[in-house]
Amino acid sequence: FISCTVNIICALVFNSLLNMATIALVTADIGKLRADLEKFRTGDHGSIDKATTDVIYNSSYQLLTRAIVPMYDALKAGRGDEYVQLSNQPRRELRRNFTAAIEQYNTEIDKLIRDDKQQITWWVDTCRNVLIATLVIGLLIVFLTDRYLVRYLVKPLECIQAHLQILADGKLQTRIMDMGKNCAGKLVPFIQDMQDNWVRTVSDIRSSSHEIYRSAGEIAAGNTDLSSRTEEQASALEQTAASMEDCGNYLRSFRKLH
């Protein structure tokens, strides 16, 4: 912007006639250029080196105060020779200094843009790598979690299910294997206690059954003995009845004789 303004002012100063409208326009442009230079000096230039901005400000200020303003004053006063002398020697040298400062400023900006691009590229690559690493770690965690659940939950539960099926088949003496301190393994002591209680209950039932069977045998033997005795007593009664009948017949025969 400053370079464009300087070019406009130089063109106006060189080509303008001495009339009031042109003088007023050039005066306004010079005042605006002074304000822009002050704004540039006090403004925030971010990461640009202060020495670079100082070079631009100083070269612009010297071009304004040592070339443009004196040329304007000479043209305004009608001093043509002084105007030509100022436009040939001081202005060209100061313009070269100003152009070199602008080029240095642009070089500094290009360097900052390249640095920013490199920084942005680094951040993009870093974020991409972090996301890829996070995805890989997540997949690894899912895989390890699946293997852990299969080993310490699914397989132990299958073993418990198989052992309960063995118990349901009546094989109460089969012992369940130890499964450690995992969630399923904590059920093993309770299952074993339950199995031991079942074994004791079945043993007690078997003992009671044997005792009942023995007692039933004794009762059956007593009933058999009682039946034998009853039959013997019935036979004895029959014999007694027969003897009594014989005695009765004898008595009746004896009465008939007398």
Side-chain angles (χ1 to χ4, degrees):
F1 175 78
I2 296 174
S3 177
C4 294
T5 305
V6 170
N7 292 334
I8 292 172
I9 293 175
C10 289
L12 290 174
V13 172
F14 184 78
N15 296 315
S16 63
L17 299 174
L18 294 178
N19 54 67
M20 295 304 296
T22 304
I23 292 175
L25 180 62
V26 173
T27 302
D29 288 338
I30 291 175
K32 187 174 184 301
L33 180 58
R34 289 181 183 274
D36 290 339
L37 283 175
E38 184 63 21
K39 186 184 297 184
F40 178 83
R41 184 181 68 83
T42 58
D44 184 15
H45 300 281
S47 301
I48 298 177
D49 187 19
K50 187 176 185 300
T52 302
T53 58
D54 289 343
V55 170
I56 293 177
Y57 173 78
N58 292 332
S59 61
S60 301
Y61 185 78
Q62 290 178 5
L63 179 62
L64 176 65
T65 56
R66 293 175 55 187
I68 295 176
V69 172
M71 288 170 61
Y72 167 71
D73 292 338
L75 186 61
K76 182 179 178 181
R79 299 190 299 270
D81 295 338
E82 183 179 355
Y83 172 82
V84 173
Q85 182 180 0
L86 290 173
S87 63
N88 289 334
Q89 182 61 30
R91 186 185 70 83
R92 292 180 179 178
E93 181 179 357
L94 294 173
R95 180 61 184 271
R96 286 195 297 269
N97 294 337
F98 174 75
T99 302
I102 291 296
E103 290 177 352
Q104 181 181 357
Y105 184 81
N106 292 333
T107 302
E108 187 72 19
I109 290 179
D110 292 338
K111 181 177 180 299
L112 290 176
I113 291 175
R114 288 194 302 270
D115 293 341
D116 290 340
K117 287 183 178 180
Q118 291 177 356
Q119 188 73 12
I120 292 172
T121 302
W122 182 84
W123 275 110
V124 170
D125 293 339
T126 301
C127 292
R128 184 182 65 249
N129 295 333
V130 169
L131 289 176
I132 293 173
T134 303
L135 179 61
V136 172
I137 293 173
L139 292 176
L140 182 61
I141 291 174
V142 170
F143 175 77
L144 294 177
T145 303
D146 176 73
R147 292 298 88 196
Y148 176 84
L149 292 176
V150 169
R151 181 174 180 179
Y152 293 104
L153 185 61
V154 176
K155 288 186 176 179
L157 289 178
E158 291 177 351
C159 292
I160 292 175
Q161 181 181 3
H163 185 72
L164 293 177
Q165 183 61 44
I166 291 173
L167 296 181
D169 293 338
K171 302 175 182 179
L172 299 180
Q173 299 301 327
T174 304
R175 308 293 294 182
I176 188 171
M177 61 179 295
D178 186 17
M179 299 179 186
K181 299 298 182 181
N182 52 66
C183 295
K186 292 180 180 180
L187 297 176
V188 172
F190 299 100
I191 295 175
Q192 194 61 58
D193 291 341
M194 180 183 66
Q195 182 178 347
D196 293 338
N197 290 332
W198 286 357
V199 170
R200 285 193 294 269
T201 302
V202 171
S203 297
D204 293 340
I205 291 174
R206 286 179 178 176
S207 298
S208 299
S209 298
H210 287 306
E211 186 68 24
I212 292 172
Y213 179 76
R214 186 182 62 80
S215 299
E218 293 178 355
I219 292 172
N223 289 335
T224 302
D225 182 64
L226 179 61
S227 177
S228 298
R229 291 180 182 180
T230 302
E231 289 178 356
E232 290 177 357
Q233 289 180 358
S235 178
L237 288 175
E238 288 179 356
Q239 291 178 359
T240 301
S243 297
M244 291 296 293
E245 186 177 356
D246 290 339
C247 289
N249 292 332
Y250 177 76
L251 289 175
R252 284 194 295 272
S253 298
F254 180 77
R255 287 179 182 175
K256 289 179 178 180
L257 292 177
H258 294 285

